[in-house]
Amino acid sequence: MSTSGFSGLFLLRDRRIREVAYQVVCIAAVVAIGWYLFQNAAANLARQDIATGFDYLSREAGFIISETPIDYQPSDSYGRALLVGLLNTLTVALLAIVLGTVVGTLVGIARLSKNPLLSRLMLAYVEALRNVPLLLYLFLWYSAIIFTLPPVKQAIALLPGVFVSNSGLVVPAIVWHSGFWTVIAAIAAGVVAAFAWRTVATRRRIATGKAVPGWPVSLTLLVLPFVIAIAVFDIRFEFDWPELGRFRLTGGAHLKPEFVALLLGLTLSASATVAEIVRSGILAIGKGQREAAQALGLSSGRTMRLVILPQALRVIVPPLTNIYVTTFKNSSLAIAIGYPDLVMVSNTIMNQTGQAMEPIALFMLVYLGLSLATSLLMNWYNARVALQGR
């Protein structure tokens, strides 16, 4: 046997090298199969004179999108239309994740209430939302908005400047004249600075055992960059308040029924599962922790916020990752009620261009990227929480 062959067999005896080698072989096999299928599909499409490739992205779209977070006209390209669809998907999914987490946490804590009426009401809330398909709820919320709420000229004022009708929700809006991205950068800098200070303060408190100013300094660091940006840079904006006229609403930001129904459905669906995750995480903490906190004189609210929930995060965070990924994927159900998300825009492009493989591949890659990014972020946070726990 040659020396190189002997060296190869010797390396394969190492378990770690074998694991890497098996993964490389599997990846190569998947890539080869995928390439073969792609070439076969491209050849079949070419025989039928069907265009392939991504050149269509630069062509004029020629269709209207009802909700556009950025400037878009029918004369813009297919690529910009896809960007609008992607931003719509991100907007509704991220809002649903934030609202679902907040509502689910409150519901999960209320499920453990000693008040039997509140506990059972929250149980009914969770069971009703978890045991009915999300698509049916989307139809329900959309129908409720369209057929139950009054017309625009009889819009209901929920709060000052907030109106709801069968045309959707109208809320106050901020109209930026200059300095929008400067303010965004200042807010991001404040969040980073406040987070960094909380980390330093926690480590110093653990190392020295002495109290370190936490929330006052964090709040100051959070607000200070925004105040400096307002004082130094040319930042101009104004609030646009909705006004109910005789026949219509003017001003403000108009959230259409499709967006409201989708956001409501995704939020409530996610909150029901988050509630059960939070409840199980709290129950995983021993009763001795609560008793020790009460012995120190902490109120029930401070005990939950300072003792129970921080320890429960080690149990709560891993399953939350799956909920967040599922919320991103469930947003694709928007096509059922006509909200112009990435899937709906891609479907319109497929109908116009006759090309199906490329748009499908693009939005599959987008959802894969969103899922992987969410998993990486949550895994990082989970490792940080676990490290603090130890």
Side-chain angles (χ1 to χ4, degrees):
M1 181 180 296
S2 63
T3 306
S4 59
F6 179 77
S7 301
L9 291 175
F10 179 77
L11 290 174
L12 288 177
R13 293 181 180 178
D14 191 321
R15 178 181 176 182
R16 291 174 297 179
I17 294 178
R18 287 202 311 271
E19 290 175 350
V20 172
Y22 295 154
Q23 293 180 31
V24 170
V25 171
C26 290
I27 292 173
V30 171
V31 170
I33 294 172
W35 180 254
Y36 168 77
L37 294 176
F38 175 78
Q39 291 292 334
N40 189 36
N44 291 332
L45 291 173
R47 282 196 297 268
Q48 299 176 20
D49 293 328
I50 298 177
T52 57
F54 295 93
D55 294 337
Y56 73 94
L57 292 175
S58 60
R59 300 207 304 264
E60 180 179 323
F63 62 89
I64 297 173
I65 299 178
S66 58
E67 294 195 29
T68 57
I70 59 175
D71 292 334
Y72 170 80
Q73 300 296 330
S75 58
D76 290 330
S77 65
Y78 284 123
R80 191 167 184 83
L82 284 173
L83 178 61
V84 171
L86 172 60
L87 293 177
N88 283 338
T89 295
L90 289 175
T91 300
V92 71
L94 290 175
L95 284 175
I97 285 173
V98 173
L99 295 176
T101 302
V102 173
V103 174
T105 301
L106 296 177
V107 172
I109 295 174
R111 283 272 283 111
L112 299 173
S113 173
K114 295 180 180 179
N115 186 329
L117 177 60
L118 178 61
S119 177
R120 290 175 182 176
L121 283 176
M122 294 301 101
L123 174 61
Y125 172 91
V126 170
E127 294 300 324
L129 289 172
R130 291 184 67 195
N131 294 297
V132 176
L134 174 58
L135 184 60
L136 296 182
Y137 272 123
L138 292 182
F139 290 141
L140 174 63
W141 307 134
Y142 186 65
S143 300
I145 294 172
I146 295 296
F147 300 111
T148 305
L149 294 178
V152 175
K153 62 181 180 180
Q154 300 173 358
I156 301 172
L158 299 178
L159 295 170
V162 180
F163 297 90
V164 63
S165 66
N166 60 5
S167 67
L169 183 68
V170 179
V171 296
I174 300 177
V175 179
W176 292 90
H177 299 292
S178 64
F180 173 76
W181 291 110
T182 303
V183 171
I184 294 297
I187 293 175
V191 171
V192 172
F195 183 79
W197 172 255
R198 290 291 299 176
T199 302
V200 171
T202 301
R203 292 178 179 177
R204 186 176 299 178
R205 184 171 62 250
I206 293 174
T208 62
K210 298 180 180 179
V212 179
W215 284 110
V217 177
S218 297
L219 184 60
T220 302
L221 292 174
L222 181 64
V223 177
L224 187 60
F226 177 76
V227 175
I228 294 175
I230 294 291
V232 174
F233 298 98
D234 180 23
I235 297 174
R236 290 175 295 162
F237 62 91
E238 62 181 352
F239 290 98
D240 186 13
W241 289 89
E243 295 182 1
L244 180 59
R246 185 174 180 182
F247 298 105
R248 63 189 181 94
L249 283 163
T250 58
H254 186 189
L255 307 178
K256 296 189 176 181
E258 296 81 8
F259 176 84
V260 176
L262 180 62
L263 179 60
L264 188 62
L266 291 176
T267 298
L268 295 181
S269 176
S271 68
T273 309
V274 170
E276 287 299 278
I277 293 173
V278 170
R279 185 180 69 88
S280 64
I282 293 174
L283 292 176
I285 305 303
K287 294 182 179 180
Q289 298 292 321
R290 188 185 299 273
E291 294 171 353
Q294 292 173 348
L296 293 174
L298 295 179
S299 63
S300 299
R302 290 176 63 84
T303 298
M304 180 62 66
R305 182 170 62 87
L306 300 177
V307 178
I308 304 301
L309 282 180
Q311 297 183 73
L313 282 176
R314 289 175 289 176
V315 180
I316 293 172
V317 171
L320 273 185
T321 304
N322 183 53
I323 301 304
Y324 294 165
V325 171
T326 302
T327 302
F328 275 114
K329 293 186 291 186
N330 284 344
S331 66
S332 61
L333 294 174
I335 193 173
I337 56 175
Y339 179 70
D341 72 326
L342 180 63
V343 176
M344 183 173 178
V345 173
S346 299
N347 189 52
T348 303
I349 292 174
M350 286 188 285
N351 291 333
Q352 289 191 356
T353 62
Q355 294 182 232
M357 290 179 54
E358 294 83 353
I360 291 175
L362 282 177
F363 71 69
M364 286 179 63
L365 287 175
V366 167
Y367 282 112
L368 177 62
L370 291 175
S371 299
L372 292 177
T374 303
S375 298
L376 289 174
L377 180 62
M378 294 299 292
N379 287 338
W380 168 81
Y381 183 70
N382 183 46
R384 183 175 177 276
V385 171
L387 182 61
Q388 288 184 348
R390 290 196 298 273

